[in-house]
Amino acid sequence: MSEKPQVFKGYAVTDPEKWDQFEVIEYQPKTWEETDVELRITHCGVCGSDVHTINPAAWGGTKYPLVPGHEIAGVATRVGSQVTGIKVGDRVGVGAQIWSCMDCRACKGNQENYCPKKTDTYGHFYPDGVYTQGGYSTAIRAKSQFVFPIPDGVESRHAASMLCGGLTVYSPLVRNGCGPGKKVGIVGVGGLGHYAILFAKALGAEVYAFTRSDKKADDIKKLGADHIVITSEEGWNKPLHMSLDLIISTADTSHAFPIKDYLSMLWVNGSFIAVGLPDDDLPAVNAFTLLDNGSKLGGSHIGSKQEAIAMLKLAAEKGIKPWIEELPMSQASKAIQGVANGKARYRYVLTQDLE
């Protein structure tokens, strides 16, 4: 006997020509499986990816209507019989990925965030054809592999944006050896960059923040960076030639981006990891640029469940709190416009107001 059809409600973009305007819709959730968890959403962060996805002039290919949101915190209301470690009433969260095959090399090796068949939390399709809708909504269902318990030491409003913004920088930091004795550069101090500073410092690294002006200098110091480098100044990179072990770039722009200057600052076999997702291509890099220091150029896709749990544990132990502005979910338009215009300091978090 099939389950009774159910609908969820959310704030959706219905007209691509009015991509920053929302209206409440009802939609079909994921088909229930006994490996799933359903949660009542209390908070949802607003990510730069939300803007790029719903704006047809950015990444494109979006199917409307679409409920965005993949920085979700809430309370488990239904737990499948095959799920362990989560029970009804637990505070849990969901990030930018909601499904993977669990059968490929990546999934079997705790690299499910790189599954070739991975499904995004919104704007993608499940294997049975159901369209994924995100967290600007009343509830969400997800495979338990992508549902993360929130520890007591982290408030749900703080956990929400960690589940994409935080994890996106935490994963490449730990995978590339960030820790005591390491010098780590953070490019761009926005939603992602502020998290990168917080986590790099919490992991014990010496942190260099790269920013185009001194407008955010006071914020950068409060976030914990040890050094501030103003990249609009002449010769800004030369004092750091071959001195950094790792650079995490959160820059959301590619026009005239001085990637060769950044690569020159890496120590032997150091890595430049791009996690910002500009609409245009990165500048070209000649192979000879990589020879002098054996530097590496790479990317990163969110993080695994193991990394998400470790990140939340670190946040609880170190008292890490993102800088957020809370708005009722009905003001999603204001938050989206704020992110698009660079006004966020440093993440917007929507609080539930739908019945």
Side-chain angles (χ1 to χ4, degrees), residues 32 34-39 74-94 142-150 305 309:
W32 177 258
E34 290 302 320
T35 53
D36 289 347
V37 176
E38 184 174 309
L39 54 148
V75 177
T77 56
R78 184 181 181 187
V79 177
S81 60
Q82 298 177 31
V83 176
T84 60
I86 298 172
K87 64 182 185 302
V88 171
D90 286 352
R91 287 188 309 126
V92 293
V94 173
K143 182 183 284 288
S144 61
Q145 184 68 22
F146 302 97
V147 181
F148 314 129
I150 300 173
K305 183 166 188 172
I309 291 171

Side-chain angles (χ1 to χ4, degrees), residues 7-52:
V7 294
F8 291 169
K9 290 194 297 185
Y11 292 99
V13 176
T14 60
D15 183 349
E17 294 185 1
K18 300 177 180 177
W19 59 267
D20 60 352
Q21 303 299 312
F22 295 82
E23 61 181 79
V24 177
I25 67 164
E26 293 185 343
Y27 60 89
Q28 178 186 355
K30 177 186 184 300
T31 305
W32 177 258
E33 297 175 273
E34 290 302 320
T35 53
D36 289 347
V37 176
E38 184 174 309
L39 54 148
R40 172 177 54 82
I41 295 172
T42 59
H43 300 81
C44 187
V46 178
C47 182
S49 297
D50 297 350
V51 175
H52 290 296

